[in-house]
Amino acid sequence: MENLIALLVAAPLIGAAVLLCGGRRLDRAGHWLGTLLAAASFVIGVVLFSDMLGRSADDRSLHQHLFSWVPVEGFRADIAFQLDQLSMTFVLLITGVGTLIHLYSIGYMEHDERRRRFFGYLNLFLAAMLILVLADNYLLLYLGWEGVGLASYLLIGFWQHKPSAATAAKKAFLVNRVGDMGLSIAIMLMFTTFGTFAFGPVFAATGDASEGKLTAIGLMLLLAACGKSAQVPLQSWLGDAMEGPTPVSALIHAATMVTAGVYLITRSSAVFNAAPDAQLVVVVVGAVTLLFGAIVGCAKDDIKKALAGSTMSQIGYMILAAGLGPIGYVFAIMHLVTHGFFKAGLFLGAGSVMHGMNDEVDMRKYGGLRTYMPVTFVTFGLGYLAIIGFPGLSGFFSKDKIIEAAFAKGGTEGWILGAVTLLGAGITAFYMTRVMLMTFFGEKRWQPDAKGDAPHPHESPRSMTIPMIVLAVGSVFAGGFFSLGDRFLHWLEPVTGHDHGDAPLSAGVITGATMVVLVIGVAVAWLMYGRASVPVAPPRGSLLTRAARRDLLQDDFNHVVLVRGGEHLTRSLVYMDHTLVDGVVNGTAASFGGLSGRLRKLQNGYARTYAVSMFGGTAVLIAATLLMRAV
Amino acid sequence: MSFPLLTATAVLPAVGAIATAAVPAARRTAAKWLALLFSLATLALAVLVLVRFEPGGARYQLTESHAWIADFGVRYELGVDGIGVALLALTALLIPFVILAGWHDADPLEDARPNRRWRPTQGFFALILMVEAMVILSFEATDVFLFYILFEAMLIPMYFLIGGFGDRAHAGGDEAAATQRSYAAVKFLLYNLVGGLIMLAAVIGLYVVAGTFSLSEIVAARADGSLSMATGTERWLFLGFFFAFAVKAPLWPLHTWLPNAMGEATAPVAVLITAVVDKVGTFAMLRFCLGLFPEASTWATPAILVLALISIVYGALLAVGQRDIKRLIAYASISHFGFIIMGIFAMTSQGQSGATLYMVNHGISTAALMLVAGFLISRRGSRLIADYGGVQKVAPVLAGTFLIGGLATLSLPGLSPFVSEFLVLVGTFSRYPVVGVIATVGIVLAALYVLVLYQRTMTGPVKDAVRTMPDLRIRELVVVTPLIALLLFLGVYPKPLTEIVNPAVEHTMSDVQKTDPKPEVEAAP
Amino acid sequence: MNPVNYLYLASLLFTIGAAGVLIRRNAIVVFMCIELMLNACNLAFVTFARMHGNLDGQIIAFFTMVVAAAEVVVGLAIIVSLFRSRHSASVDDASLMKL
């Protein structure tokens, strides 16, 4: 059975290779080939899953060793896969949502002449993401980690002719590289501390290592997670990444790749459990990002950027939960999975809306779309209810658990974290209601596009609506299904461990409080955007709104400090290289040149001058000889 | 006596050079094919060397030894260890691609006067083969004096390649191109000559102290204690050798000849400089500096590491600031050479294995990037980044291969440079954590200069000047595809290479009497 | 007679010859002055041979004569060909061998 694991990765990898090297011949069938291979990977995943369910909880981990990757004295890295419950969860999420999004893209990218290449990139992404979650050591994980970064780069910049897309792609890759730097330093630290960086031996040995080293490893892993999962302070790329085609935003920048940071922290639970200081930083990062993303999400008028802010905020929840330690790991992953469903669904819905509205992204130019796009409206609405945590839907179960876990952390810390997560839930309700109201309700504020064509909103083709429906079903039922009898908890517990903590408040009280903030959030949004009419031109807004529209000035900071500063640095270095380093050498050469130029004047070509110098030289020699003898 | 295989690998290209040079002026194409044929035959011989080489066997294999200048104890001694074999194979592999990529670079201009003796094409390819012969022999030489002669002699054909066959894409017209070109060639020659002369003094000094030029004899005598050097003498001799290699490698602040030389030379010659000839410098550091002067090497390590670190960061920052595609790649190479030197002097198995792999991988990745850049430049006739834009739309295959070359340059996992770069970083980190951490900044900067280059040239709206740009031709694809395949293969499965290199590195480590630092916690296997 | 007087004569002849080489421009005269210097040397050699009582100096004098004869052959040929091409025997006219 374990031999199937490699096949899981191989299917999309072959797809990528064939589609990218195949040339124009494959233009007509390429998208189907890509979708088919993604589906094949999903089927293999399901087979492995059913096999895994058939075995007892302790015996579920599978291992496949392919070959030794980098064998060097004292250094061993293998191409080897490990499939346990945690990886399995991700495999199903990645291949499942991935297949749906492949299907959706067939319709969405129908008019793009480079559709084949798009599917090649998507397959490449799937393969890299699967390597990331299946790796049995950190170096192979790193390969997947950068692989998804590359796929993300290629897909964000898919419409390269738009300078904004090319810039956004570059920015995403660069910011991620800063995170990757953290991952590579973490691996180096592991190597010097443990002599290995394979999961099993490292986790077994964490008990013997010094806490300082473990804290350093934890912080470096967190840096990596911040880059990939768009957490403060490396969050700035995610908003710009929305330049990519919408299916990409749904798959990579909502459901799967951006959650890799949560996976990394959960996977490294043994390290973090032994390094409380690192855990504290993780929690703080999660809490800050949670509020940061939510605030940004409230101010954006671009539907995709609003959703991107929301993604950031929801991943903040997950990171926070993962930082809580054994109390939170399971819930972090559970929220990750339900979020994968509803956020992918929301993005696909947004894509469907854009598809019908001449690719307009400004929500101020939507309004009243619910009758024109009924399927989109219903699926989007269900996703909306799920994300705000409407009782009974997915988000309710998973987010509520995280809020409870935050309180259960205990002490002042627990109260603060609990309050932050509650506040976040309220803001989530507000901005999502805002998106919903501005898009589907109110009067029509449609504007003709740049070419002067008035939009004719229409429902999207079936290949697009089916994935939306499937994801909506997931958004509705997944949470309940997982929570029934704590199924998800028992499933993941053998890998991550679990601890109930001691909540200062009963679960009922916390749920009640969540409901109260939820209602407040929805009510405020309705007062502002439902009852009052929405102006097409954005109002000036308060200072906070204006700052939030600019991503809380993060980009401006980056621009002034990093971009400008960097430009000045490189320019002055180029100047220095030319004048100083090269100048010293050229100066030496020039001074020799000048000296020889002066000496050259002695050679005037007259034989008698040379003769004089000869006689003079002889005279000097003789004089010197005589003088020597005299002395 | 067995067949002198190593001599044959060097003699074959040399014969090829003479044969190519002798082809009559009118038969240009024949000369090209002849050169290609000889380079392929050399490649076949190199493969034979690879096959005959036993990774676990004696340190130097396929040895040959003949008396040469008996009065001074100079012998014609050849032998290869794992490091030499790897670089020999790299050289033999790259030359056919260099020749194929430069197929039209030395064609006489159409308005040139017909002259029976005017044979630039023949000269170009003959010089390339001459460089190949000398570089290959220098990887094989185990006699210090023989190595020195080759180290210096290869400057002569390189000088003519840089000065005589410049890049035709020049902003300032033919006049400025000629001035710049001769400046670059003279600069190249002078820098390397100064380094070489200082090395000559050290070579003579070594002979005075040791009484022989034979590398293996000196190393053996040092190991068993029968040859001891005064600390001061050893350090001076070490510095003499190291200076020459640091110029060739090149190490900051001796690097400024490289951007000029690579910028003015044609793309294939630029590849020859950075991927082949410069490797002799780093190779010699491993073989001669560490082998002959272990104690002085340890003594100089901190200073060299700092210089290497400066090279890494400085080269990358300067690459970001360049406006000329080829100069950008040159500065990127300076950054990479910093990594190689850092790996060598980290004095760990991982660092030195990584450095050796790095030499091979950097050769392949730079060749891929530089040759595609050369194809791009030859289409538009400009080396300035600002003259391009939107090429991706008109020539997707060219853009794709350019991107892969760039990704290899920024060491993306899955492509071979990643393996070596990571080994170098890990090896350095385990002994000098701070240096290792600072060096990782280099990987962020690498992403910056590669992606900025790609974005400015390949993406965005299509510029008018590139609208009619043709995509890669068959000949160009033949050059690029194998290089990319090799990058991918060695990125996923570098084992064949590491198997050859590992034993050699163990020998070097025992030369300098170092062992790897032990991990803090011994994890259960 | 005191042999030292011959040495005085030799140095006088040599000085005259040297002054001629340096001062005169006519190549033929310069040439004759060189011969004068050579012969001054010969005189000194012969004198020394006499003073030291062996034949070494005389032998060297013969060598010098042979070399001088060969030099005359080459030198005169150069002067003649120079005169043919430039119609002048001035040494200052042949000053092209400078940078």
Side-chain angles (χ1 to χ4, degrees), chain A residues 69 71 73 160 167 170 177 192-193 213 577 582 585-586, chain B residues 187 255-256 314 331 350 392 443 455 460 491 520-521:
Chain A
W69 182 17
E73 181 67 26
Q160 287 178 327
T167 309
K170 183 187 69 183
R177 265 262 151 156
T192 52
T193 314
K213 276 276 172 64
D577 197 56
D582 226 12
V585 179
N586 284 344
Chain B
K187 198 169 177 183
H255 63 274
T256 50
Y314 185 88
Y331 277 105
Q350 299 90 38
Q392 204 277 339
I443 68 176
Q455 185 193 353
E520 190 180 300
V521 182

PDB file of all heavy atoms in Angstrom, chain A residues 69 71 73 160 167 170 177 192-193 213 577 582 585-586, chain B residues 187 255-256 314 331 350 392 443 455 460 491 520-521:
ATOM      1  N   TRP A  69      18.860  11.059  -1.284  1.00  0.00           N
ATOM      2  CA  TRP A  69      18.919  12.269  -2.112  1.00  0.00           C
ATOM      3  C   TRP A  69      20.320  12.864  -2.073  1.00  0.00           C
ATOM      4  O   TRP A  69      21.010  12.929  -3.089  1.00  0.00           O
ATOM      5  CB  TRP A  69      17.852  13.251  -1.604  1.00  0.00           C
ATOM      6  CG  TRP A  69      17.743  14.526  -2.358  1.00  0.00           C
ATOM      7  CD1 TRP A  69      18.229  14.789  -3.608  1.00  0.00           C
ATOM      8  CD2 TRP A  69      17.102  15.718  -1.929  1.00  0.00           C
ATOM      9  NE1 TRP A  69      17.906  16.070  -3.982  1.00  0.00           N
ATOM     10  CE2 TRP A  69      17.220  16.665  -2.966  1.00  0.00           C
ATOM     11  CE3 TRP A  69      16.421  16.077  -0.762  1.00  0.00           C
ATOM     12  CZ2 TRP A  69      16.686  17.942  -2.867  1.00  0.00           C
ATOM     13  CZ3 TRP A  69      15.888  17.345  -0.668  1.00  0.00           C
ATOM     14  CH2 TRP A  69      16.025  18.276  -1.717  1.00  0.00           C
ATOM     15  N   PRO A  71      23.596  12.131  -0.225  1.00  0.00           N
ATOM     16  CA  PRO A  71      24.424  11.406   0.736  1.00  0.00           C
ATOM     17  C   PRO A  71      25.822  12.011   0.781  1.00  0.00           C
ATOM     18  O   PRO A  71      26.596  11.890  -0.156  1.00  0.00           O
ATOM     19  CB  PRO A  71      24.467   9.984   0.164  1.00  0.00           C
ATOM     20  CG  PRO A  71      24.180  10.148  -1.294  1.00  0.00           C
ATOM     21  CD  PRO A  71      23.649  11.521  -1.554  1.00  0.00           C
ATOM     22  N   GLU A  73      29.161  12.737   3.666  1.00  0.00           N
ATOM     23  CA  GLU A  73      29.692  12.379   4.981  1.00  0.00           C
ATOM     24  C   GLU A  73      28.942  13.116   6.101  1.00  0.00           C
ATOM     25  O   GLU A  73      28.964  14.329   6.183  1.00  0.00           O
ATOM     26  CB  GLU A  73      31.177  12.746   5.001  1.00  0.00           C
ATOM     27  CG  GLU A  73      31.906  12.432   6.279  1.00  0.00           C
ATOM     28  CD  GLU A  73      32.018  10.941   6.505  1.00  0.00           C
ATOM     29  OE1 GLU A  73      31.988  10.205   5.504  1.00  0.00           O
ATOM     30  OE2 GLU A  73      32.105  10.524   7.674  1.00  0.00           O
ATOM     31  N   GLN A 160       1.186  37.822 -17.356  1.00  0.00           N
ATOM     32  CA  GLN A 160       2.422  38.576 -17.201  1.00  0.00           C
ATOM     33  C   GLN A 160       2.409  39.895 -17.932  1.00  0.00           C
ATOM     34  O   GLN A 160       3.182  40.787 -17.612  1.00  0.00           O
ATOM     35  CB  GLN A 160       3.581  37.754 -17.740  1.00  0.00           C
ATOM     36  CG  GLN A 160       3.938  36.615 -16.844  1.00  0.00           C
ATOM     37  CD  GLN A 160       5.043  35.808 -17.442  1.00  0.00           C
ATOM     38  OE1 GLN A 160       5.139  35.686 -18.644  1.00  0.00           O
ATOM     39  NE2 GLN A 160       5.886  35.244 -16.623  1.00  0.00           N
ATOM     40  N   THR A 167       4.675  42.272 -10.991  1.00  0.00           N
ATOM     41  CA  THR A 167       5.238  42.808  -9.756  1.00  0.00           C
ATOM     42  C   THR A 167       4.740  42.031  -8.548  1.00  0.00           C
ATOM     43  O   THR A 167       5.509  41.708  -7.636  1.00  0.00           O
ATOM     44  CB  THR A 167       4.860  44.288  -9.604  1.00  0.00           C
ATOM     45  OG1 THR A 167       5.204  44.948 -10.819  1.00  0.00           O
ATOM     46  CG2 THR A 167       5.592  44.924  -8.462  1.00  0.00           C
ATOM     47  N   LYS A 170       6.523  38.722  -8.260  1.00  0.00           N
ATOM     48  CA  LYS A 170       7.886  38.873  -7.758  1.00  0.00           C
ATOM     49  C   LYS A 170       7.873  39.147  -6.256  1.00  0.00           C
ATOM     50  O   LYS A 170       8.640  38.574  -5.500  1.00  0.00           O
ATOM     51  CB  LYS A 170       8.564  40.025  -8.499  1.00  0.00           C
ATOM     52  CG  LYS A 170      10.004  40.234  -8.114  1.00  0.00           C
ATOM     53  CD  LYS A 170      10.561  41.486  -8.741  1.00  0.00           C
ATOM     54  CE  LYS A 170       9.916  42.703  -8.129  1.00  0.00           C
ATOM     55  NZ  LYS A 170      10.344  43.958  -8.718  1.00  0.00           N
ATOM     56  N   ARG A 177      10.764  34.170   0.167  1.00  0.00           N
ATOM     57  CA  ARG A 177      12.171  33.799   0.316  1.00  0.00           C
ATOM     58  C   ARG A 177      12.700  34.198   1.685  1.00  0.00           C
ATOM     59  O   ARG A 177      13.549  33.516   2.259  1.00  0.00           O
ATOM     60  CB  ARG A 177      13.014  34.479  -0.761  1.00  0.00           C
ATOM     61  CG  ARG A 177      13.245  33.602  -1.953  1.00  0.00           C
ATOM     62  CD  ARG A 177      14.605  32.933  -1.860  1.00  0.00           C
ATOM     63  NE  ARG A 177      14.599  31.664  -2.535  1.00  0.00           N
ATOM     64  CZ  ARG A 177      15.698  31.085  -3.018  1.00  0.00           C
ATOM     65  NH1 ARG A 177      16.845  31.659  -2.898  1.00  0.00           N
ATOM     66  NH2 ARG A 177      15.632  29.910  -3.584  1.00  0.00           N
ATOM     67  N   THR A 192      22.937  20.866  13.316  1.00  0.00           N
ATOM     68  CA  THR A 192      24.022  20.982  14.286  1.00  0.00           C
ATOM     69  C   THR A 192      23.582  20.484  15.658  1.00  0.00           C
ATOM     70  O   THR A 192      24.403  20.052  16.455  1.00  0.00           O
ATOM     71  CB  THR A 192      24.503  22.436  14.429  1.00  0.00           C
ATOM     72  OG1 THR A 192      23.367  23.261  14.680  1.00  0.00           O
ATOM     73  CG2 THR A 192      25.183  22.908  13.174  1.00  0.00           C
ATOM     74  N   THR A 193      22.285  20.551  15.938  1.00  0.00           N
ATOM     75  CA  THR A 193      21.836  20.119  17.261  1.00  0.00           C
ATOM     76  C   THR A 193      21.658  18.605  17.328  1.00  0.00           C
ATOM     77  O   THR A 193      22.080  17.957  18.269  1.00  0.00           O
ATOM     78  CB  THR A 193      20.508  20.810  17.620  1.00  0.00           C
ATOM     79  OG1 THR A 193      20.620  22.190  17.300  1.00  0.00           O
ATOM     80  CG2 THR A 193      20.210  20.665  19.084  1.00  0.00           C
ATOM     81  N   LYS A 213      18.284  26.234  22.118  1.00  0.00           N
ATOM     82  CA  LYS A 213      18.360  25.765  20.733  1.00  0.00           C
ATOM     83  C   LYS A 213      16.960  25.529  20.184  1.00  0.00           C
ATOM     84  O   LYS A 213      16.639  25.921  19.064  1.00  0.00           O
ATOM     85  CB  LYS A 213      19.170  24.465  20.660  1.00  0.00           C
ATOM     86  CG  LYS A 213      20.672  24.668  20.594  1.00  0.00           C
ATOM     87  CD  LYS A 213      21.132  24.933  19.176  1.00  0.00           C
ATOM     88  CE  LYS A 213      22.590  25.343  19.085  1.00  0.00           C
ATOM     89  NZ  LYS A 213      23.519  24.322  19.519  1.00  0.00           N
ATOM     90  N   ASP A 577      32.056  50.404  -6.360  1.00  0.00           N
ATOM     91  CA  ASP A 577      32.811  49.360  -7.042  1.00  0.00           C
ATOM     92  C   ASP A 577      33.599  49.968  -8.187  1.00  0.00           C
ATOM     93  O   ASP A 577      34.733  49.592  -8.443  1.00  0.00           O
ATOM     94  CB  ASP A 577      31.850  48.295  -7.568  1.00  0.00           C
ATOM     95  CG  ASP A 577      32.570  47.004  -7.899  1.00  0.00           C
ATOM     96  OD1 ASP A 577      33.237  46.474  -7.000  1.00  0.00           O
ATOM     97  OD2 ASP A 577      32.469  46.535  -9.047  1.00  0.00           O
ATOM     98  N   ASP A 582      37.743  49.459  -8.222  1.00  0.00           N
ATOM     99  CA  ASP A 582      38.362  49.511  -9.531  1.00  0.00           C
ATOM    100  C   ASP A 582      39.328  50.690  -9.603  1.00  0.00           C
ATOM    101  O   ASP A 582      40.334  50.639 -10.277  1.00  0.00           O
ATOM    102  CB  ASP A 582      37.269  49.671 -10.590  1.00  0.00           C
ATOM    103  CG  ASP A 582      37.493  48.714 -11.742  1.00  0.00           C
ATOM    104  OD1 ASP A 582      38.332  47.820 -11.590  1.00  0.00           O
ATOM    105  OD2 ASP A 582      36.835  48.884 -12.771  1.00  0.00           O
ATOM    106  N   VAL A 585      42.919  50.068  -8.530  1.00  0.00           N
ATOM    107  CA  VAL A 585      43.682  49.326  -9.534  1.00  0.00           C
ATOM    108  C   VAL A 585      44.000  50.218 -10.722  1.00  0.00           C
ATOM    109  O   VAL A 585      45.150  50.320 -11.167  1.00  0.00           O
ATOM    110  CB  VAL A 585      42.867  48.098  -9.991  1.00  0.00           C
ATOM    111  CG1 VAL A 585      43.646  47.358 -11.051  1.00  0.00           C
ATOM    112  CG2 VAL A 585      42.579  47.208  -8.821  1.00  0.00           C
ATOM    113  N   ASN A 586      42.964  50.890 -11.212  1.00  0.00           N
ATOM    114  CA  ASN A 586      43.191  51.753 -12.363  1.00  0.00           C
ATOM    115  C   ASN A 586      44.157  52.874 -12.027  1.00  0.00           C
ATOM    116  O   ASN A 586      44.938  53.304 -12.866  1.00  0.00           O
ATOM    117  CB  ASN A 586      41.870  52.345 -12.861  1.00  0.00           C
ATOM    118  CG  ASN A 586      41.064  51.319 -13.639  1.00  0.00           C
ATOM    119  OD1 ASN A 586      41.607  50.298 -14.050  1.00  0.00           O
ATOM    120  ND2 ASN A 586      39.791  51.588 -13.819  1.00  0.00           N
TER     121      ASN A 586
ATOM    122  N   LYS B 187      42.806  44.089 -18.902  1.00  0.00           N
ATOM    123  CA  LYS B 187      42.551  44.022 -17.475  1.00  0.00           C
ATOM    124  C   LYS B 187      42.584  42.568 -17.009  1.00  0.00           C
ATOM    125  O   LYS B 187      43.197  42.229 -15.991  1.00  0.00           O
ATOM    126  CB  LYS B 187      41.182  44.640 -17.197  1.00  0.00           C
ATOM    127  CG  LYS B 187      40.950  45.036 -15.768  1.00  0.00           C
ATOM    128  CD  LYS B 187      39.676  45.864 -15.692  1.00  0.00           C
ATOM    129  CE  LYS B 187      39.340  46.236 -14.282  1.00  0.00           C
ATOM    130  NZ  LYS B 187      38.084  46.971 -14.209  1.00  0.00           N
ATOM    131  N   HIS B 255      37.892  41.280  -7.748  1.00  0.00           N
ATOM    132  CA  HIS B 255      36.904  40.748  -8.682  1.00  0.00           C
ATOM    133  C   HIS B 255      36.664  41.620  -9.900  1.00  0.00           C
ATOM    134  O   HIS B 255      35.992  41.184 -10.825  1.00  0.00           O
ATOM    135  CB  HIS B 255      35.580  40.617  -7.944  1.00  0.00           C
ATOM    136  CG  HIS B 255      35.054  41.942  -7.493  1.00  0.00           C
ATOM    137  ND1 HIS B 255      35.422  42.510  -6.299  1.00  0.00           N
ATOM    138  CD2 HIS B 255      34.234  42.834  -8.086  1.00  0.00           C
ATOM    139  CE1 HIS B 255      34.844  43.671  -6.173  1.00  0.00           C
ATOM    140  NE2 HIS B 255      34.121  43.919  -7.240  1.00  0.00           N
ATOM    141  N   THR B 256      37.152  42.851  -9.912  1.00  0.00           N
ATOM    142  CA  THR B 256      36.595  43.798 -10.890  1.00  0.00           C
ATOM    143  C   THR B 256      36.924  43.463 -12.337  1.00  0.00           C
ATOM    144  O   THR B 256      36.325  44.018 -13.240  1.00  0.00           O
ATOM    145  CB  THR B 256      37.064  45.237 -10.602  1.00  0.00           C
ATOM    146  OG1 THR B 256      38.467  45.210 -10.441  1.00  0.00           O
ATOM    147  CG2 THR B 256      36.415  45.788  -9.373  1.00  0.00           C
ATOM    148  N   TYR B 314      28.028  41.329  -1.358  1.00  0.00           N
ATOM    149  CA  TYR B 314      28.406  42.436  -2.229  1.00  0.00           C
ATOM    150  C   TYR B 314      28.095  42.108  -3.694  1.00  0.00           C
ATOM    151  O   TYR B 314      27.498  42.905  -4.412  1.00  0.00           O
ATOM    152  CB  TYR B 314      29.903  42.669  -2.028  1.00  0.00           C
ATOM    153  CG  TYR B 314      30.497  43.850  -2.733  1.00  0.00           C
ATOM    154  CD1 TYR B 314      30.508  45.097  -2.146  1.00  0.00           C
ATOM    155  CD2 TYR B 314      31.088  43.702  -3.981  1.00  0.00           C
ATOM    156  CE1 TYR B 314      31.095  46.169  -2.778  1.00  0.00           C
ATOM    157  CE2 TYR B 314      31.671  44.771  -4.615  1.00  0.00           C
ATOM    158  CZ  TYR B 314      31.666  46.005  -4.010  1.00  0.00           C
ATOM    159  OH  TYR B 314      32.234  47.064  -4.650  1.00  0.00           O
ATOM    160  N   TYR B 331      28.220  39.569 -11.842  1.00  0.00           N
ATOM    161  CA  TYR B 331      28.209  39.839 -10.407  1.00  0.00           C
ATOM    162  C   TYR B 331      27.551  38.702  -9.637  1.00  0.00           C
ATOM    163  O   TYR B 331      27.958  38.374  -8.520  1.00  0.00           O
ATOM    164  CB  TYR B 331      27.529  41.176 -10.113  1.00  0.00           C
ATOM    165  CG  TYR B 331      28.464  42.347 -10.287  1.00  0.00           C
ATOM    166  CD1 TYR B 331      28.387  43.181 -11.391  1.00  0.00           C
ATOM    167  CD2 TYR B 331      29.466  42.579  -9.355  1.00  0.00           C
ATOM    168  CE1 TYR B 331      29.268  44.234 -11.560  1.00  0.00           C
ATOM    169  CE2 TYR B 331      30.348  43.629  -9.509  1.00  0.00           C
ATOM    170  CZ  TYR B 331      30.249  44.452 -10.606  1.00  0.00           C
ATOM    171  OH  TYR B 331      31.133  45.480 -10.756  1.00  0.00           O
ATOM    172  N   GLN B 350      30.709  18.552   4.787  1.00  0.00           N
ATOM    173  CA  GLN B 350      29.572  19.057   4.016  1.00  0.00           C
ATOM    174  C   GLN B 350      29.974  20.282   3.211  1.00  0.00           C
ATOM    175  O   GLN B 350      29.601  20.429   2.053  1.00  0.00           O
ATOM    176  CB  GLN B 350      28.400  19.416   4.937  1.00  0.00           C
ATOM    177  CG  GLN B 350      27.863  18.263   5.744  1.00  0.00           C
ATOM    178  CD  GLN B 350      28.579  18.145   7.076  1.00  0.00           C
ATOM    179  OE1 GLN B 350      28.901  19.141   7.708  1.00  0.00           O
ATOM    180  NE2 GLN B 350      28.850  16.933   7.512  1.00  0.00           N
ATOM    181  N   GLN B 392       8.353  37.342 -23.098  1.00  0.00           N
ATOM    182  CA  GLN B 392       7.592  36.125 -22.803  1.00  0.00           C
ATOM    183  C   GLN B 392       6.465  35.907 -23.802  1.00  0.00           C
ATOM    184  O   GLN B 392       6.189  34.786 -24.205  1.00  0.00           O
ATOM    185  CB  GLN B 392       7.039  36.258 -21.385  1.00  0.00           C
ATOM    186  CG  GLN B 392       6.739  34.951 -20.708  1.00  0.00           C
ATOM    187  CD  GLN B 392       5.391  34.417 -21.105  1.00  0.00           C
ATOM    188  OE1 GLN B 392       4.537  35.158 -21.565  1.00  0.00           O
ATOM    189  NE2 GLN B 392       5.220  33.121 -20.953  1.00  0.00           N
ATOM    190  N   ILE B 443      20.711  34.187  -0.321  1.00  0.00           N
ATOM    191  CA  ILE B 443      19.692  33.489  -1.111  1.00  0.00           C
ATOM    192  C   ILE B 443      18.473  34.386  -1.349  1.00  0.00           C
ATOM    193  O   ILE B 443      17.798  34.250  -2.355  1.00  0.00           O
ATOM    194  CB  ILE B 443      19.283  32.132  -0.491  1.00  0.00           C
ATOM    195  CG1 ILE B 443      18.540  32.279   0.819  1.00  0.00           C
ATOM    196  CG2 ILE B 443      20.482  31.237  -0.304  1.00  0.00           C
ATOM    197  CD1 ILE B 443      18.059  30.947   1.378  1.00  0.00           C
ATOM    198  N   GLN B 455      11.608  39.890 -14.634  1.00  0.00           N
ATOM    199  CA  GLN B 455      10.433  40.753 -14.766  1.00  0.00           C
ATOM    200  C   GLN B 455      10.664  41.853 -15.807  1.00  0.00           C
ATOM    201  O   GLN B 455       9.817  42.116 -16.648  1.00  0.00           O
ATOM    202  CB  GLN B 455      10.098  41.381 -13.412  1.00  0.00           C
ATOM    203  CG  GLN B 455       8.805  42.186 -13.454  1.00  0.00           C
ATOM    204  CD  GLN B 455       8.623  43.061 -12.235  1.00  0.00           C
ATOM    205  OE1 GLN B 455       9.374  43.007 -11.290  1.00  0.00           O
ATOM    206  NE2 GLN B 455       7.603  43.894 -12.276  1.00  0.00           N
ATOM    207  N   GLY B 460       5.499  42.061 -18.761  1.00  0.00           N
ATOM    208  CA  GLY B 460       5.016  43.402 -19.056  1.00  0.00           C
ATOM    209  C   GLY B 460       4.563  43.513 -20.503  1.00  0.00           C
ATOM    210  O   GLY B 460       4.562  42.536 -21.244  1.00  0.00           O
ATOM    211  N   GLY B 491      19.659  17.763  -9.585  1.00  0.00           N
ATOM    212  CA  GLY B 491      18.947  18.357  -8.456  1.00  0.00           C
ATOM    213  C   GLY B 491      18.201  17.321  -7.662  1.00  0.00           C
ATOM    214  O   GLY B 491      18.037  17.429  -6.453  1.00  0.00           O
ATOM    215  N   GLU B 520      25.017  18.412  18.936  1.00  0.00           N
ATOM    216  CA  GLU B 520      24.843  18.574  20.373  1.00  0.00           C
ATOM    217  C   GLU B 520      24.199  17.336  20.999  1.00  0.00           C
ATOM    218  O   GLU B 520      24.615  16.844  22.032  1.00  0.00           O
ATOM    219  CB  GLU B 520      23.952  19.796  20.604  1.00  0.00           C
ATOM    220  CG  GLU B 520      23.847  20.253  22.014  1.00  0.00           C
ATOM    221  CD  GLU B 520      22.941  21.459  22.089  1.00  0.00           C
ATOM    222  OE1 GLU B 520      23.246  22.480  21.462  1.00  0.00           O
ATOM    223  OE2 GLU B 520      21.909  21.362  22.738  1.00  0.00           O
ATOM    224  N   VAL B 521      23.183  16.829  20.324  1.00  0.00           N
ATOM    225  CA  VAL B 521      22.484  15.648  20.819  1.00  0.00           C
ATOM    226  C   VAL B 521      22.625  14.566  19.768  1.00  0.00           C
ATOM    227  O   VAL B 521      22.359  14.807  18.592  1.00  0.00           O
ATOM    228  CB  VAL B 521      20.978  15.941  21.013  1.00  0.00           C
ATOM    229  CG1 VAL B 521      20.292  14.720  21.574  1.00  0.00           C
ATOM    230  CG2 VAL B 521      20.800  17.136  21.905  1.00  0.00           C
TER     231      VAL B 521
END
